Amino acid sequence: MGLEKLLPCTVKLSNILAKSGHDVLCVIDRAVPAELADVFEEHRSFDKAFDSVVSCFKSANLDVPVIYAPVEELTDYADVRSYQKAAAQSLQRAIKAGFQAPLLVVPQSKRFSQAELCTVLGALEELYVPIQLREDVPSKKQRINSLSVLINNPNAEKIMQEALVLESGRLIARDIGGGDPERMAPPLVEAYIKPLFANLSVNVIDDVDVINKEYPLFAAVNRAAHTVERHQGRIIYLEYKPPNPARKTVMLVGKGVTYDTGGADIKAGGVMAGMSRDKCGAAAVAGFMQVVSELKPKDIHVIGALCLVRNSVGEECYVSDELITSRAGVRVRIGNTDAEGRMCMADVLCRMKELAIEGNLPDPHIFTIATLTGHAFISAGEGQSIIVDNSVAAKEDHARKLQAAGQAYGEPFEVSVLRQCDFDFNAAKARGEDVVQANNAPSVKTPRGHQVPAAFMIKATGLDKHGVNSKQPLKYTHLDIAGSAGEYPNMPTAAPIVALVKTHLVD
């Protein structure tokens, strides 16, 4: 699919302030273009709030009105998201005023080296229109007709192209993550994805007999939903093989729970609303693969997997106390059916492990990406993801590298460390079981509630046999994006696509 079809509107570069196909000028930096210096100083002379609120006014020096959405005061603890926020606010005001072709003046920053790219990304994010609105009300498929950007940088064209490629992946992630439980039920995610990735290998696992045999933990979650055809689970593998011999392999597994009722351990007390966002991990994998398909790295092999399932409740739903043998041969005692995310990913994670070993893939690094725990949300706070490296990835200081990229590009991470107590928590409690899937308390009431699931997935998949001192060490990283994926009613953020791209696709 053409890149232009995956953008919120026509986007183009401009090199002049005068009216040239745009109807309003959006400024976010206090260091304004020379043509506006006098009028800005005049406003400051009588309006003490001028540099702290959004303004819209006319200037005798320009043919078009001006919107000023100043970047907030930058403290020692601010990050580049301040620029993204200001860009979004400027376009919000332009849309409210009825403008259709804004020109955004993109500032430079000595402090934040990626401020220009992040400013453009912030603007594009604000222009996103949800897929169901685009489909149901075609007249509202765009918020504006066009966006022009003025970037005073010799690399302006490169910055713009990079932003458009990244946004194409983020749009796909928002479509999947933000679609309601019916529009983005597993079979419809499959239908949405297939036309997008004609240049990638796409393998869909939908045969329930295959799922039951090869992905038994996923199958347990899928059991109740499988009774309803339109909710039946899918495991979708997307693969990109580079034209040159690969020097490394990136393998991503995304949690795609299209709706989470909690299952038999049902989400009661009004906490079920918003659970259609529980597929944002799989959505991020799809978005990442879109960026891969555009960048076409010459020597990086990439495999993504979307674990798409609905955690339904009903007479066929799995229940606590069941003993299920995982793909890796590990006997798992179910402790809580609302811990379905680790269940739906574990066997696919095991398959990635097998591919890495049996295929002798070069320098493999396996990831799980999931809106997995409320504990991650309250630990990191809204807007931040959490990184949990296994011992092999930690030895290469991977988490700090990914965190540095996230900080630079507006997708910040906190780093958590796996400890022996996390594995002890999941240890078998009775004869006949190898590992316990979860306790029966919410993660927010469980000490180390976001580290424990990572330890479970390592144990249930046999990754514990591939540590630092093993014959075949494997890097594994779990990313809990519960805090960063975007809570309803906000739009999905598509985190952590940009940070992953910058860490693992771009040297």
Side-chain angles (χ1 to χ4, degrees):
M1 182 176 287
L3 185 61
E4 68 282 353
K5 293 183 180 179
L6 293 172
L7 298 175
C9 66
T10 300
V11 185
K12 53 191 177 183
L13 277 171
S14 178
N15 57 9
I16 55 174
L17 282 178
K19 187 171 183 178
S20 176
H22 50 265
D23 55 10
V24 65
L25 182 68
C26 294
V27 178
I28 67 170
D29 194 21
R30 300 180 190 195
V32 299
E35 296 92 329
L36 292 171
D38 291 342
V39 70
F40 269 54
E41 286 307 311
E42 181 183 353
H43 277 271
R44 290 187 178 109
S45 70
F46 65 81
D47 184 358
K48 292 182 180 180
F50 185 63
D51 287 315
S52 59
V53 298
V54 180
S55 305
C56 182
F57 54 89
K58 297 201 75 172
S59 169
N61 296 343
L62 294 174
D63 298 329
V64 296
V66 176
I67 288 175
Y68 178 45
V71 173
E72 60 195 1
E73 185 176 352
L74 299 175
T75 69
D76 289 350
Y77 303 99
D79 58 56
V80 75
R81 287 178 294 179
S82 297
Y83 286 83
Q84 295 174 310
K85 178 181 176 182
Q89 288 175 332
S90 72
L91 289 177
Q92 288 172 11
R93 186 66 181 87
I95 291 167
K96 284 185 177 180
F99 297 114
Q100 286 293 314
L103 169 62
L104 175 63
V105 180
V106 177
Q108 294 178 316
S109 170
K110 292 181 180 179
R111 178 173 169 184
F112 301 113
S113 62
Q114 302 302 325
E116 292 159 304
L117 174 62
C118 290
T119 297
V120 178
L121 288 174
L124 293 172
E125 182 172 353
E126 179 59 31
L127 296 178
Y128 173 73
V129 177
I131 184 172
Q132 286 168 267
L133 183 57
R134 300 198 312 267
E135 292 174 339
D136 297 345
V137 189
S139 62
K140 295 185 178 181
K141 67 180 181 179
Q142 294 184 177
R143 302 192 73 192
I144 59 176
N145 291 334
S146 67
L147 171 67
S148 300
V149 294
L150 178 59
I151 304 174
N152 185 22
N153 186 313
N155 296 317
E157 187 66 46
K158 180 181 177 181
I159 292 169
M160 171 61 73
Q161 187 60 29
E162 186 175 12
L164 297 184
V165 168
L166 290 169
E167 182 59 22
S168 72
R170 301 200 314 163
L171 183 141
I172 287 172
R174 292 192 198 102
D175 277 356
I176 296 173
D180 79 16
E182 293 297 329
R183 174 60 188 88
M184 285 297 172
L188 291 184
V189 176
E190 175 192 351
Y192 173 85
I193 281 177
K194 277 186 171 179
L196 296 175
F197 296 120
N199 60 338
L200 301 182
S201 169
V202 180
N203 180 27
V204 179
I205 311 296
D206 58 3
D207 186 316
V208 70
D209 292 330
V210 173
I211 290 173
N212 290 339
K213 180 181 179 182
E214 299 184 15
Y215 303 92
L217 299 181
F218 179 98
V221 182
N222 184 51
R223 210 159 64 200
H226 185 74
T227 63
V228 180
E229 185 175 1
R230 70 181 190 278
H231 294 162
Q232 292 173 351
R234 299 286 192 275
I235 299 170
I236 302 178
Y237 289 96
L238 305 170
E239 183 172 13
Y240 169 81
K241 292 184 177 179
N244 298 339
R247 60 180 173 85
K248 71 175 183 178
T249 311
V250 180
M251 311 176 83
L252 309 170
V253 178
K255 173 187 174 183
V257 175
T258 59
Y259 199 70
D260 183 14
T261 69
D265 290 301
I266 198 160
K267 291 180 182 293
V271 299
M272 196 185 300
M275 284 297 106
S276 61
R277 296 285 180 90
D278 217 8
K279 56 190 180 308
C280 284
V285 172
F288 183 88
M289 295 306 295
Q290 161 61 22
V291 177
V292 171
S293 71
E294 290 291 336
L295 293 181
K296 300 179 178 63
K298 291 182 172 56
D299 55 3
I300 303 174
H301 186 184
V302 187
I303 306 173
L306 283 65
C307 307
L308 300 164
V309 67
R310 179 175 170 127
N311 190 21
S312 293
V313 63
E315 59 187 6
E316 289 290 341
C317 65
Y318 81 122
V319 296
S320 295
D321 293 346
E322 288 189 35
L323 273 170
I324 304 171
T325 302
S326 75
R327 181 186 181 102
V330 177
R331 291 174 61 79
V332 176
R333 169 84 68 176
I334 305 304
N336 189 332
T337 65
D338 199 18
E340 83 297 331
R342 66 199 78 178
M343 294 282 287
C344 77
M345 290 190 293
D347 289 325
V348 180
L349 176 59
C350 181
R351 177 58 182 152
M352 291 293 201
K353 177 200 73 175
E354 294 165 2
L355 290 172
I357 295 169
E358 296 166 7
N360 196 28
L361 299 181
D363 191 20
H365 195 149
I366 312 173
F367 292 81
T368 47
I369 308 175
T371 49
L372 204 64
T373 64
H375 192 275
F377 190 102
I378 64 170
S379 298
E382 186 172 4
Q384 287 73 234
S385 304
I386 288 181
I387 311 170
V388 185
D389 276 348
N390 76 344
S391 56
V392 186
K395 188 176 181 181
E396 294 192 2
D397 203 25
H398 165 262
R400 297 300 175 185
K401 295 172 185 175
L402 182 57
Q403 185 183 45
Q407 189 71 12
Y409 291 94
E411 290 183 345
F413 290 89
E414 305 297 347
V415 176
S416 288
V417 177
L418 275 175
R419 303 193 183 279
Q420 183 58 45
C421 60
D422 302 318
F423 294 88
D424 295 342
F425 188 95
N426 295 309
K429 307 295 190 294
R431 286 191 295 270
E433 62 194 32
D434 297 322
V435 65
V436 176
Q437 167 238 27
N439 61 357
N440 56 12
S443 70
V444 295
K445 296 183 179 180
T446 301
R448 301 184 65 79
H450 68 266
Q451 293 99 328
V452 165
F456 167 81
M457 288 188 285
I458 289 172
K459 182 70 175 178
T461 60
L463 275 169
D464 58 324
K465 307 293 193 301
H466 297 276
V468 171
N469 296 318
S470 68
K471 292 182 179 179
Q472 293 176 302
L474 286 176
K475 288 177 286 187
Y476 164 62
T477 298
H478 172 58
L479 304 179
D480 196 325
I481 60 171
S484 63
E487 287 278 292
Y488 175 85
N490 297 320
M491 290 292 103
T493 65
I497 292 173
V498 177
L500 283 171
V501 167
K502 290 297 180 178
T503 306
H504 292 283
L505 291 186
V506 180
D507 291 330

